[in-house]
Amino acid sequence: MTLNDSLKALSAEFLSSDFPGYAVGVAGGREYSGIFKKAYVETNRIAGTRPLFQIVETDQLSEGDVITIESRAYTIRVIENDGAGMALLILEE
Amino acid sequence: MKLKQILDAIQTKLTGLPTTGSNVYQNRVYPVQQLPAINVRYGAQRMQTISTQINNTVEIFIDAFCKASESELDDTLIKIQSEVHAALMADYSQGLSFVIDTTPLGATAPEVSDQSETPTAVQVFTFAITFRHSETSLET
């Protein structure tokens, strides 16, 4: 097992269903467990939200893919890998 | 209050446009939630005394707000600008007897952001409205 695999396995341990914000996203027929956040934001004096999904790093998802979380479809705009086994997906409705 | 009457007249003229509908506000502080939207506010005033009267030219700012996919942002802003321009330039008096002229001054470059669930953009259209009041009162 490589260091990266170990980090991914360790990260996955934190993604339990009792963690606040836990959600399962579905993309391309696969399920991804993660932490879903949709905080209020204000940009250009426009009220909105900022949907983010933190998952274990994967090479199965690409920018532009559609992922469904809590019955709503989002387009993955940016994938930010943190180098420690986790990835933050910046989503667009 | 003549300035308030001008702002209200503009808000009325801009209400019901095809793109922004009834989402027309006079709001300097709070973020807008119903989009696309228009906000009406005023800026600096220049006064020129002519005998016992003053010609007061006030900047009117029309903020256009929209939230759309990246490819649709420009189209939406262009439509809003076109509709606002036509609505305000159809009658230079804005339906008010004390308004002398309405002049379009231009528009800012669109400011775009990707920090929301859908891309957002705002653009500001500026008009100059000249109205007349007495030397001793802004209201007569």
Side-chain angles (χ1 to χ4, degrees), chain B residues 67-127:
Chain B
K67 187 182 274 188
S69 65
E70 185 184 5
S71 61
E72 293 172 337
L73 281 176
D74 282 354
D75 288 352
T76 305
L77 287 175
I78 289 167
K79 278 185 202 165
I80 295 173
Q81 183 178 15
S82 175
E83 292 165 9
V84 165
H85 186 95
L88 294 188
M89 297 311 295
D91 173 10
Y92 67 87
S93 76
Q94 307 307 326
L96 299 168
S97 60
F98 52 85
V99 170
I100 300 167
D101 197 17
T102 298
T103 306
L105 296 182
T108 62
E111 286 186 38
V112 178
S113 170
D114 67 351
Q115 297 299 302
S116 193
E117 77 278 17
T118 306
T120 61
V122 60
Q123 188 174 22
V124 183
F125 315 128
T126 306
F127 292 81

Side-chain angles (χ1 to χ4, degrees), chain B residues 3-105:
Chain B
L3 182 52
K4 179 62 175 161
Q5 282 181 263
I6 291 170
L7 292 171
D8 289 346
I10 290 172
Q11 183 173 10
T12 299
K13 284 207 166 189
L14 298 182
T15 298
L17 296 180
T19 302
T20 46
S22 60
N23 299 333
V24 185
Y25 310 100
Q26 291 185 48
N27 167 18
R28 290 180 184 273
V29 179
Y30 299 107
V32 291
Q33 305 211 22
Q34 300 296 321
L35 297 167
I38 289 170
N39 184 56
V40 181
R41 57 192 170 90
Y42 72 94
Q45 298 173 57
R46 291 192 318 277
M47 297 185 188
Q48 181 183 17
T49 303
I50 300 172
S51 184
T52 59
Q53 295 211 304
I54 289 177
N55 283 356
N56 188 337
T57 300
V58 59
E59 288 176 321
I60 300 293
F61 299 120
I62 311 295
D63 307 311
F65 299 100
C66 68
K67 187 182 274 188
S69 65
E70 185 184 5
S71 61
E72 293 172 337
L73 281 176
D74 282 354
D75 288 352
T76 305
L77 287 175
I78 289 167
K79 278 185 202 165
I80 295 173
Q81 183 178 15
S82 175
E83 292 165 9
V84 165
H85 186 95
L88 294 188
M89 297 311 295
D91 173 10
Y92 67 87
S93 76
Q94 307 307 326
L96 299 168
S97 60
F98 52 85
V99 170
I100 300 167
D101 197 17
T102 298
T103 306
L105 296 182

